[in-house]
């Protein structure tokens, strides 16, 4: 059996070869630009002119599309509907749902916010799909970040797939004891306790065991650590990172000037 | 209740072909150990018995039920499965509630649930610990709680996944007593194990798997005597068996008693 313990998908591509910090900077920059640039279509432009082409060139378009359609779109779609119906702005009603009105303005407002959230999650999905957590950790540590901080970042990136693998094992164990997880919604809702209990407790135990295990191997040692991996970086990437930072500053400046 | 496996094939979603045409008949009341190297397909095979995995090809019958035709929750009434890691199933506030969970799911009357739980607790020597939170117990006792929670379901077939891994000698002996009691009650016991001594002492039939296929299947003595064949799946016969061979004994011995008898001859 194979359980993926991170989102990373191994491919030989330009995107994969980029330094992890460059990709992280890019993800942050895209999010900031999508949120603060005072042009209505900016998030859509960022999505279709930057994120989607990057996923294609990174040879991870299939995995990216899967995540976008199965995970991001439903969440963002829900947000769009809620904001379109509940945002009390505008007068020209375009849709009525019982006593709730969606106006031209509320739909436009909801669409812009939904697009921004879509860009935010997409940018980090792209980052996670193309960056192995250990590479990111090595690079961050090499740049002088405390190893404890790097560990927190890596743990955060790994926790969802790890919990997914653990949840699958727990579901199998409880189903084997006759727990019905396949029929009606009510029965499945009733099955939550036996599933969540071992998941939470197991995760807490795992965190403690992992903390002890890495401490036993000198994790908090004050001596300079040796890096096992050589993470490639270049002058070009350094320039690219600073350019992205400049873009962020420019976007914030434009936003302030515009308002 | 017999188990009939015919030409069982299974491939995981990533394409790994874990089982390649397994055919196996397990008669009611048999005690079988499934051995083999890591990745040989032992757990994959066992998870087909209660429907957790569905065949890519072939059939698995438990009694007159084909496993693809019934949900796991229903098959749980026929096949109990003790997982390797007890922490993947324990959630109740006390041992008694935890052990009662399985029979309650099967819809038994309260009196029957209580009787089954008490019997399972007695069998696993947990009767004094019924009010303790399972997570306040040591890992070895948590293993016994997991085991009791399956025995309480009173299924005709019980599958143990690595029952002795990480257990001290006292607990291995406890598990052996449970296996013996289940045998006495006429239940079918199937164990996936790397503990070849436990296998030799408690099981009458051994199936050795290698790369998704059956390498050997027969009486424990016959299978464990084939050292060269077992080596293909990285299984070593028990130390006593190898000692017997080194001493030039003609018959295969699998436990101390048999070795002593052979030496006396």
């Amino acid at each position: 059996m194979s359980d993926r313990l991170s989102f990373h998908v191994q491919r030989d591509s330009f995107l994969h070869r980029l330094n992890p910090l460059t990709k992280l900077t890019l993800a942050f920059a895209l999010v900031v630009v999508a949120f603060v640039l005072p042009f209505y279509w900016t998030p859509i432009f960022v999505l279709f002119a930057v994120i989607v082409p990057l996923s294609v060139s990174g040879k991870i378009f299939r995995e990216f599309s899967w995540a976008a359609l199965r995970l991001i779109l439903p969440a963002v779609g829900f947000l769009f509907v809620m904001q379109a119906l509940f945002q009390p702005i505008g007068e020209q009603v375009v849709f009525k749902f019982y006593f709730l009105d969606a106006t031209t303005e509320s739909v436009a407002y909801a669409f812009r916010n939904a697009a921004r959230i879509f860009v935010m999650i997409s940018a980090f999905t792209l980052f996670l799909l193309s960056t192995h957590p250990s590479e990111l950790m090595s690079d961050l540590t090499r740049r002088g970040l405390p190893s404890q901080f790097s560990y927190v970042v890596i743990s955060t990136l790994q926790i969802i797939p790890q919990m997914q693998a653990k949840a699958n094992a727990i579901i199998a164990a409880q189903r084997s004891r006759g727990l019905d997880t396949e029929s009606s919604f009510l029965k499945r809702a009733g099955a939550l306790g036996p599933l969540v209990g071992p998941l939470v407790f197991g995760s807490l135990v795992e965190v403690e065991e992992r903390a002890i295990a890495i401490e036993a191997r000198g994790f908090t040692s004050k001596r300079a650590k040796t890096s096992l991996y050589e993470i490639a970086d270049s002058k070009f990437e350094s320039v690219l990172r600073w350019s992205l930072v400049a873009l962020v500053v420019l976007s914030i400046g434009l936003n302030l000037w515009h308002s | 209740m017999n188990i009939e496996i015919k030409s069982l094939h299974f491939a995981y979603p990533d394409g790994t072909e874990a089982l390649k045409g397994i055919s196996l008949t397990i008669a009611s009341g048999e005690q079988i150990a499934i051995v083999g190297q890591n990745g040989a397909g032992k757990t994959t095979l066992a998870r087909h018995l209660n429907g957790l995995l569905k065949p890519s090809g072939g059939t698995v019958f438990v009694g007159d039920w084909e496993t693809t035709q019934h949900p796991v929750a229903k098959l749980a009434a026929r096949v109990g499965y003790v997982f390797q890691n007890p922490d993947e199933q324990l959630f109740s506030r006390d041992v008694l509630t935890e052990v009662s969970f399985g029979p309650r799911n099967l819809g038994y009357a309260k009196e029957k649930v209580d009787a089954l739980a008490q019997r399972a607790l007695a069998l696993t020597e947990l009767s004094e610990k019924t009010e303790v939170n399972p997570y306040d117990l040591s890992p070895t006792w948590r293993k016994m709680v997991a085991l009791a929670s399956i025995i309480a379901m009173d299924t005709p077939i019980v599958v143990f996944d690595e029952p002795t891994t990480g257990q001290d000698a006292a607990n291995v002996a406890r598990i052996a007593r449970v296996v013996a009691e289940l045998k006495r009650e006429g239940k079918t016991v199937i164990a996936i194990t790397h503990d070849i001594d436990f296998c030799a002492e408690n099981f009458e039939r051994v199936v050795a798997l290698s790369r998704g296929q059956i390498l050997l299947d027969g009486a424990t003595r016959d299978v464990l005597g084939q050292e060269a064949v077992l080596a293909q799946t990285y299984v070593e016969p028990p130390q006593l068996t190898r000692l017997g061979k080194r001493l030039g004994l003609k018959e295969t011995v699998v436990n101390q008693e048999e070795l002593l008898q052979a030496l006396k001859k």
Side-chain angles (χ1 to χ4, degrees):
Chain A
M1 274 174 286
S2 63
D3 287 312
R4 280 175 53 193
L5 295 182
S6 80
F7 289 106
H8 177 249
V9 178
Q10 186 63 49
R11 296 280 192 281
D12 182 20
S13 79
F14 158 75
L15 189 63
H16 285 75
R17 282 192 293 274
L18 279 179
N19 182 278
L21 187 63
T22 308
K23 285 184 269 189
L24 191 61
T25 313
L26 176 67
F28 272 114
L30 292 176
V31 173
V32 173
V33 166
F35 270 81
V36 304
L37 260 192
F39 308 114
Y40 186 82
W41 293 101
T42 304
I44 298 298
F45 176 79
V46 169
L47 181 66
F48 288 104
V50 184
I51 295 176
V52 172
L54 275 176
S55 74
V56 174
S57 73
K59 300 176 184 172
I60 47 175
F61 180 68
R62 190 167 63 91
E63 290 81 3
F64 175 76
S65 308
W66 187 93
L69 293 175
R70 296 280 299 272
L71 304 174
I72 311 174
L73 200 59
V76 170
F78 179 75
L79 182 77
F80 170 75
V81 172
M82 288 295 110
Q83 288 210 323
L85 291 174
F86 288 97
Q87 197 62 34
I89 50 172
E91 286 172 3
Q92 194 183 344
V93 177
V94 289
F95 180 71
K96 224 172 156 50
F97 183 72
Y98 293 102
F99 60 92
L100 299 169
D101 295 337
T103 63
T104 312
E105 290 83 353
S106 71
V107 168
Y109 178 83
F111 180 77
R112 190 183 61 182
N113 280 347
R116 283 171 168 172
I117 301 292
F118 199 103
V119 166
M120 184 173 78
I121 307 175
S122 300
F124 281 99
T125 302
L126 196 67
F127 169 70
L128 295 176
L129 286 170
S130 61
T131 311
H132 197 283
S134 64
E135 285 179 8
L136 176 68
M137 188 171 180
S138 298
D139 197 53
L140 292 177
T141 312
R142 187 176 61 87
R143 289 174 196 277
L145 267 176
S147 46
Q148 288 90 336
F149 181 84
S150 301
Y151 179 70
V152 168
V153 172
I154 298 309
S155 303
T156 310
L157 293 179
Q158 289 189 332
I159 199 164
I160 294 172
Q162 278 174 350
M163 285 187 85
Q164 198 175 17
K166 187 179 268 299
N168 286 338
I170 292 164
I171 289 168
Q174 304 300 39
R175 286 169 76 199
S176 299
R177 294 204 290 169
L179 187 70
D180 189 353
T181 59
E182 294 166 307
S183 59
S184 70
F185 173 76
L186 276 179
K187 283 202 168 178
R188 280 183 284 156
L192 272 179
L195 300 180
V196 173
L199 185 64
V200 172
F201 186 83
S203 300
L204 291 174
V205 170
E206 211 166 75
V207 166
E208 191 186 359
E209 280 178 357
R210 194 179 299 178
I212 294 167
I214 61 171
E215 186 55 35
R217 289 182 285 168
F219 183 66
T220 52
S221 161
K222 301 285 181 234
R223 302 185 72 166
K225 294 186 193 322
T226 315
S227 180
L228 189 59
Y229 305 102
E230 201 56 53
I231 309 296
D233 200 7
S234 64
K235 196 79 189 160
F236 165 73
E237 288 201 49
S238 178
V239 172
L240 182 62
R241 285 194 292 271
W242 283 112
S243 306
L244 289 166
V245 172
L247 181 66
V248 166
V249 173
L250 191 69
S251 302
I252 295 170
L254 259 173
N255 183 286
L256 293 173
W257 180 68
H258 196 261
S259 59
Chain B
M1 187 171 291
N2 291 354
I3 296 171
E4 191 74 43
I5 300 167
K6 281 184 188 165
S7 305
L8 177 62
H9 287 262
F10 182 78
Y12 283 101
D14 66 359
T16 309
E17 208 181 341
L19 298 177
K20 302 168 186 169
I22 299 268
S23 291
L24 195 63
T25 302
I26 301 170
S28 182
E30 270 196 292
Q31 271 67 51
I32 292 194
I34 302 174
V35 300
Q37 70 208 83
N38 289 333
K42 305 184 296 293
T43 299
T44 306
L45 173 63
R47 287 186 174 205
H48 276 85
L49 301 180
N50 70 344
L52 280 173
L53 295 176
K54 306 292 183 195
S56 310
T59 54
V60 178
F61 275 89
V62 177
D64 55 350
W65 289 359
E66 193 190 345
T67 55
T68 53
Q69 304 302 313
H70 301 277
V72 179
K74 193 175 168 191
L75 281 160
R78 291 193 171 186
V79 183
Y81 195 114
V82 185
F83 279 72
Q84 187 177 347
N85 182 2
D87 295 346
E88 284 172 355
Q89 65 172 64
L90 305 179
F91 71 96
S92 303
R93 69 182 74 171
D94 59 69
V95 168
L96 180 62
T97 313
E98 186 68 47
V99 173
S100 305
F101 178 72
R104 282 197 293 117
N105 282 329
L106 298 182
Y108 295 146
K110 191 182 178 309
E111 294 72 24
K112 187 174 178 183
V113 171
D114 289 342
L116 288 171
Q118 292 300 339
R119 174 184 148 274
L121 289 165
L123 197 59
T124 50
E125 300 172 31
L126 281 164
S127 297
E128 305 292 313
K129 297 178 169 64
T130 53
E131 290 175 14
V132 181
N133 187 311
Y135 284 110
D136 288 336
L137 295 170
S138 66
T140 52
W141 280 110
R142 289 211 292 273
K143 181 84 174 182
M144 294 312 284
V145 175
L147 209 146
S149 77
I150 299 299
I151 292 168
M153 292 166 74
D154 198 25
T155 54
I157 299 159
V158 184
V159 181
F160 294 90
D161 194 346
E162 298 289 359
T164 58
T165 301
Q167 303 300 304
D168 57 27
N171 224 36
V172 171
R174 259 183 220 112
I175 295 168
R177 285 197 288 276
V178 170
V179 171
E181 179 58 22
L182 295 175
K183 179 181 180 179
R184 199 187 60 75
E185 291 175 3
K187 294 185 188 298
T188 308
V189 181
I190 300 164
I192 300 157
T193 184
H194 285 286
D195 183 344
I196 214 72
D197 288 317
F198 179 76
C199 158
E201 285 163 19
N202 297 286
F203 293 87
E204 58 200 24
R205 180 179 166 193
V206 174
V207 174
L209 292 184
S210 177
R211 297 188 183 91
Q213 291 178 312
I214 293 177
L215 193 64
L216 290 168
D217 176 11
T220 304
R221 184 184 321 282
D222 298 338
V223 171
L224 297 185
Q226 300 193 50
E227 194 171 350
V229 184
L230 284 175
Q232 291 176 37
T233 192
Y234 304 107
V235 171
E236 273 196 335
Q239 211 165 15
L240 287 174
T241 309
R242 285 180 283 146
L243 178 64
K245 294 259 183 214
R246 292 281 298 273
L247 291 171
L249 298 177
K250 282 179 185 161
E251 67 250 61
T252 302
V253 294
V254 294
N255 56 41
Q256 286 183 29
E257 201 54 44
E258 288 180 9
L259 179 66
L260 287 172
Q261 290 298 325
L263 287 174
K264 279 178 190 168
K265 283 182 199 169

